[in-house]
Amino acid sequence: MNFQAPQKITLEMRLQLLREKLTHVPQKPGVYLHKGKEGEILYVGKAKALNARLKSYFTGFERQTPKTKALVEKIFDFEVIVTENEYESLILECNLIKHNLPNYNILLRDDKTYPYIKIDMHEDWPRVITTRKRKKDGALYFGPFSISGQIQQLMGIFNRFFPLVKCTPSFFKSVTRPCNYYDIKRCLGPCKLPVKKEEYLVHLNSVINILNGKYKDISKLIKENMLKSADNLEFEKAALYREQLRALEALSNQQSVTLNADIELDIIGSYWNEELVTFYITNIRDGKVVGGYPNVVEHLIEEPEFEEQKDHLKNEKSRIYTSFISQYYENKFIPRSILFANILNIDEYLILDEYLFMKKNKENRDQEKKQPILFLTKEEYFKTIKINNKNDEKKIGDLISLSNQNAENKFHEQAKIDEFSHKMLSALMKLLNLNSIPTWIECFDISTFQGSQTVASQVVFKNGRASKKDYRKYIIKDIVGKNDDFASLREVMRRRFKDNEKEKIPDLLIIDGGEPQIREVGWLLTSLGMTSIPLVGIAKSRVKNNFFDKDLHKSSERLVVPKRDAKNEILPNEHPETLMLENGSPEYRLVTQMRDEAHRFAITFHRKKRDSSSLKSLLSEIKGLGPKRRKKLIEAFPNLKEILNEKMDTIVQKTGIPLHIIQNIYDKLKEIS
């Protein structure tokens, strides 16, 4: 039975239909998915008893928390997946959350301010590089590194003592001789010299082991390689290994906390309130603290399954903690032990521990479980791991306190950010006299160059912060070769709201422009029957100057707000109202930040379009490259600059174009890069 509620029924009627569907749901463990009007997944949850859990959503609406009410108001359907046990429910829930990223589930916020170390094993000669964006590209990522100077120190050691490739793939293919890094013994020079892949991978694997905190294992291996090279009279290699060993010892000795060398442990600290939870994970490898990483989690407290259910908040904490730990270790190294000195429901603890054990030993499913991975008290951890050293016990106790303190610090830091975002939104609501806080704001900008390649950008701010996954780009199709901002705006608005039943309607619409642009958009929204959408334009400040005054006089940024009638509908015929923004005020900072971000996004897209057109016109100059071959080339390489990173034989195989023409294309692209 797959019920889909009609669009114009009341909330009470919809809840009644959902309760009727609920009669077919069994009291068995499993996963449930709440769905919106168009079938989109809003929330994924697991339950011991599916019927009881779902009943809590569709009864007693007036007693629910505001956040749960907001979710229930959007539920038009639900789906259940029955599982054999709670362990299967946990795995299925993790996979569904990871795949669908529902808005109402707890989601780990990526802190892109912290850098990662990236190693792409798909490259012929993998490099060790730093990046601030973690992508799903199959590469190895280590971090994020939140301790100041830690990543610079590691990269300094890797670049100096491990002779790995440092240049980009395109430069690697174009060199005529090994570069200076080879001359100073910091690269093996595989670009032009016959380097054995096995020798290169020895150094690369040493770097990977260091990043995983395996100092003890890698020190032993490097020492063995040093002695072996000396026995084979390969003294240069032996000297290189000796320098690596010294650097590793120096790095190991700099760790602030030193424990028993056999300790491999993650300590998870936490700080909680009913809207936000922060975690801080301290990593200990070979008895050394090698990293500490904060995580911020937004969560939804579910309603109790039964009205008089005891310890509901305690159970909810346990559910959220379990969900975080299972998601966090989905793609991360699982150490021998994890210490989380907090409250977990005993059933969820056993399921989570089994889940971690199975993930850690996925290559060896038959391995017997001798001891738990997850510990909830330091005393149980000391007893199981047999730590009898009072000094180690004290240091681990101190690290637990420090992890909790770091989690609390991150909580207050995030709370300040959220508080300022709320302050900006509240100030904007008050200035524009809106009925509610605009949690979803869209800003549009048009970009053109001499009337050609006109594009538009749409940026979205959710709760006062940029939501880049919701950004959109528009290529203007109706107006070609003309510089007509009004026609471009009309086209963009029509395309944005062409199916307003399915599309998310913004709480506020911002246009980069003044009175003419606002009146044009007002007319368009009127024709679409969407005049109730809050609309505002932001007009740039004006600079006034005359020949007799040395100073430049700059006016304030202005908001252009259309007039509305008693029914709150836009009156595009009337002159809009102008509101001055006070420089530095919360509303000024939010609106100008959105305008600048929309401008940046549009300009970036416009430049890419121009570059793409220039490259395509460049192809027409190459002899032997006719329309059919150009089409094949562009189909195989939509971004023509990717050709610089490919081997000639691969390009010939993908396109069927002769090698001498590919060489000409490569040379042309290299000239303009």
Side-chain angles (χ1 to χ4, degrees):
M1 182 178 181
N2 192 19
F3 153 77
Q4 185 69 36
Q7 294 178 0
K8 293 186 179 180
I9 64 173
T10 65
L11 175 63
E12 184 51 45
M13 291 169 63
R14 180 153 34 98
L15 291 176
Q16 181 59 39
L17 289 168
L18 291 168
R19 285 194 290 268
E20 288 176 12
K21 180 179 179 179
L22 191 58
T23 59
H24 301 280
V25 176
Q27 286 284 22
K28 289 185 177 181
V31 173
Y32 58 93
L33 296 85
H34 288 317
K35 296 184 176 182
K37 186 185 291 186
E38 300 303 322
E40 72 279 13
I41 295 174
L42 302 171
Y43 183 76
V44 176
K46 62 176 174 54
K48 294 180 186 177
L50 284 167
N51 189 288
R53 168 57 72 197
L54 286 166
K55 188 177 179 181
S56 69
Y57 284 99
F58 307 134
T59 56
F61 178 76
E62 64 282 350
R63 296 189 301 273
Q64 293 173 349
T65 63
K67 210 166 185 179
T68 305
K69 283 182 179 179
L71 169 61
V72 173
E73 285 171 352
K74 295 180 180 178
I75 298 173
F76 277 71
D77 191 14
F78 67 82
E79 181 182 336
V80 298
I81 304 171
V82 178
T83 60
E84 289 292 327
N85 50 54
E86 290 179 67
Y87 174 71
E88 286 186 9
S89 299
L90 175 66
I91 294 174
L92 182 57
E93 181 193 37
C94 284
N95 290 337
L96 288 171
I97 290 172
K98 181 182 175 184
H99 179 71
N100 296 290
L101 297 177
N103 281 338
Y104 283 86
N105 275 95
I106 78 157
L107 297 175
L108 280 61
R109 290 191 193 171
D110 291 329
D111 200 333
K112 294 185 175 65
T113 58
Y114 294 130
Y116 293 84
I117 288 178
K118 175 183 176 180
I119 301 175
D120 189 352
M121 299 301 290
H122 297 107
E123 293 180 355
D124 290 338
W125 302 95
R127 299 167 296 143
V128 182
I129 61 174
T130 60
T131 180
R132 288 186 180 272
K133 288 187 178 180
R134 180 169 185 161
K135 300 178 182 177
K136 293 181 180 179
D137 54 5
L140 299 176
Y141 288 87
F142 301 90
F145 292 90
S146 60
I147 299 174
S148 178
Q150 187 182 23
I151 196 167
Q152 291 90 342
Q153 182 189 36
L154 285 168
M155 290 302 293
I157 289 171
F158 298 153
N159 288 331
R160 183 175 177 186
F161 299 110
F162 293 85
L164 303 174
V165 169
K166 294 167 181 62
C167 53
T168 61
S170 57
F171 186 79
F172 181 92
K173 292 172 185 176
S174 63
V175 297
T176 56
R177 58 173 291 278
C179 66
N180 292 340
Y181 282 116
Y182 171 76
D183 296 330
I184 59 175
K185 311 299 182 189
R186 295 190 183 182
C187 180
L188 296 176
C191 53
K192 289 297 174 185
L193 300 176
V195 177
K196 291 182 180 178
K197 205 66 172 276
E198 295 78 12
E199 181 184 354
Y200 189 87
L201 290 177
V202 166
H203 297 297
L204 184 67
N205 287 330
S206 296
V207 169
I208 293 171
N209 280 324
I210 290 171
L211 289 168
N212 280 324
K214 299 288 187 180
Y215 293 123
K216 187 178 178 182
D217 296 343
I218 194 58
S219 293
K220 183 180 177 183
L221 182 62
I222 291 174
K223 194 170 185 178
E224 288 175 0
N225 288 335
M226 180 182 72
L227 296 173
K228 184 179 176 182
S229 298
D231 290 341
N232 294 335
L233 304 180
E234 296 174 324
F235 297 117
E236 282 195 7
K237 279 188 182 180
L240 178 62
Y241 288 127
R242 180 195 65 206
E243 294 303 317
Q244 289 179 3
L245 197 60
R246 287 177 178 173
L248 190 57
E249 287 173 354
L251 184 65
S252 180
N253 291 335
Q254 286 179 16
Q255 302 300 324
S256 58
V257 179
T258 305
L259 303 163
N260 184 300
D262 293 328
I263 292 178
E264 182 180 280
L265 172 69
D266 278 1
I267 296 173
I268 304 178
S270 66
Y271 195 82
W272 158 284
N273 82 352
E274 294 187 3
E275 296 288 332
L276 198 69
V277 188
T278 50
F279 297 90
Y280 191 89
I281 297 90
T282 301
N283 307 134
I284 302 169
R285 304 290 182 266
D286 294 334
K288 304 282 194 305
V289 176
V290 297
Y293 312 116
N295 279 271
V296 180
V297 168
E298 293 174 328
H299 61 83
L300 170 72
I301 292 183
E302 296 183 347
E303 296 301 309
E305 294 178 15
F306 312 102
E307 286 189 23
E308 302 300 324
Q309 186 174 338
K310 295 181 180 179
D311 299 327
H312 173 60
L313 189 58
K314 179 180 173 182
N315 291 333
E316 279 302 285
K317 279 188 178 183
S318 178
R319 178 186 66 83
I320 290 163
Y321 290 154
T322 301
S323 186
F324 165 76
I325 294 171
S326 57
Q327 286 185 56
Y328 179 80
Y329 286 106
E330 175 68 25
N331 294 310
K332 285 188 173 60
F333 172 77
I334 300 175
R336 284 198 294 270
S337 305
I338 299 169
L339 180 53
F340 181 51
N342 220 310
I343 301 168
L344 281 182
N345 177 293
I346 186 62
D347 293 335
E348 289 186 320
Y349 163 73
L350 294 172
I351 292 168
L352 183 56
D353 187 59
E354 181 67 22
Y355 171 78
L356 292 168
F357 177 80
M358 296 300 288
K359 277 201 73 67
K360 184 172 177 62
N361 299 286
K362 60 183 176 183
E363 304 296 332
N364 185 12
R365 294 287 187 185
D366 299 327
Q367 185 167 329
E368 184 182 353
K369 187 177 180 182
K370 296 179 181 178
Q371 64 183 41
I373 290 177
L374 183 62
F375 296 89
L376 300 183
T377 66
K378 60 182 179 181
E379 291 77 17
E380 189 64 31
Y381 172 71
F382 296 153
K383 182 180 176 182
T384 306
I385 305 300
K386 296 181 173 59
I387 295 179
N388 300 314
N389 186 321
K390 294 293 183 184
N391 189 40
D392 282 353
E393 289 184 10
K394 182 181 182 305
K395 286 180 178 177
I396 288 175
D398 291 342
L399 286 171
I400 293 172
S401 300
L402 191 61
S403 297
N404 285 320
Q405 183 61 53
N406 284 329
E408 183 179 351
N409 293 342
K410 185 66 180 176
F411 176 90
H412 292 305
E413 176 191 325
Q414 189 63 47
K416 282 184 180 178
I417 294 171
D418 292 344
E419 181 185 355
F420 186 69
S421 296
H422 187 268
K423 185 178 178 182
M424 290 192 297
L425 291 169
S426 299
L428 187 59
M429 177 186 75
K430 185 177 178 181
L431 178 69
L432 298 176
N433 197 26
L434 302 176
N435 294 326
S436 60
I437 287 179
T439 56
W440 182 292
I441 308 176
E442 295 179 8
C443 184
F444 292 82
D445 184 39
I446 305 293
S447 178
T448 188
F449 180 70
Q450 295 180 351
S452 64
Q453 299 285 345
T454 303
V455 299
S457 67
Q458 171 193 337
V459 301
V460 176
F461 272 45
K462 291 166 68 175
N463 297 313
R465 292 187 294 270
S467 177
K468 294 194 175 182
K469 67 184 180 67
D470 295 305
Y471 284 17
R472 286 172 66 178
K473 301 175 247 186
Y474 299 86
I475 299 172
I476 304 303
K477 300 172 182 176
D478 294 349
I479 308 300
V480 180
K482 295 180 181 178
N483 187 4
D484 191 336
D485 276 0
F486 304 114
S488 300
L489 270 174
R490 286 196 299 270
E491 179 182 339
V492 170
M493 290 297 114
R494 277 198 302 270
R495 288 165 63 182
R496 167 63 182 89
F497 297 110
K498 66 180 177 182
D499 196 348
N500 57 45
E501 294 295 334
K502 294 182 180 180
E503 294 284 351
K504 165 74 178 176
I505 303 302
D507 300 322
L508 178 63
L509 199 61
I510 299 178
I511 305 297
D512 183 11
E515 179 178 334
Q517 286 81 8
I518 286 301
R519 294 181 72 173
E520 193 69 37
V521 174
W523 276 114
L524 196 281
L525 292 177
T526 301
S527 69
L528 295 174
M530 304 182 72
T531 53
S532 61
I533 296 178
L535 171 67
V536 65
I538 177 167
K540 294 181 177 66
S541 60
R542 296 170 179 169
V543 176
K544 298 178 182 179
N545 188 24
N546 59 59
F547 294 107
F548 306 102
D549 196 343
K550 294 180 180 178
D551 298 325
L552 292 176
H553 299 281
K554 192 175 183 181
S555 66
S556 301
E557 301 277 0
R558 296 164 292 123
L559 292 184
V560 181
V561 186
K563 294 279 182 66
R564 294 178 179 270
D565 61 17
K567 296 180 181 179
N568 199 35
E569 294 184 348
I570 296 172
L571 300 173
N573 276 332
E574 297 194 16
H575 287 289
E577 182 185 359
T578 299
L579 302 176
M580 294 298 180
L581 285 173
E582 183 184 345
N583 195 11
S585 64
E587 61 272 24
Y588 170 91
R589 294 180 67 171
L590 177 61
V591 173
T592 53
Q593 182 186 355
M594 289 198 68
R595 190 266 314 278
D596 294 344
E597 176 66 359
H599 188 62
R600 179 203 64 79
F601 192 50
I603 289 291
T604 303
F605 181 46
H606 195 265
R607 282 174 183 159
K608 286 181 180 177
K609 285 283 297 172
R610 289 210 314 267
D611 289 348
S612 176
S613 298
S614 300
L615 289 172
K616 287 174 184 176
S617 63
L618 187 72
L619 296 180
S620 61
E621 300 174 8
I622 297 173
K623 191 175 180 181
L625 191 67
K628 289 184 179 179
R629 284 177 174 170
R630 280 202 300 272
K631 185 180 178 184
K632 285 182 181 179
L633 186 70
I634 292 168
E635 285 174 354
F637 299 95
N639 180 3
L640 292 172
K641 289 184 179 179
E642 289 178 3
I643 291 171
L644 296 172
N645 298 326
E646 287 285 354
K647 292 180 179 178
M648 295 289 183
D649 295 342
T650 306
I651 302 170
V652 171
Q653 188 177 357
K654 284 184 177 180
T655 61
I657 299 172
L659 181 61
H660 71 280
I661 297 177
I662 295 295
Q663 184 64 56
N664 290 338
I665 296 169
Y666 185 91
D667 293 341
K668 280 281 188 185
L669 290 173
K670 197 175 171 190
E671 280 178 22
I672 64 170
S673 295

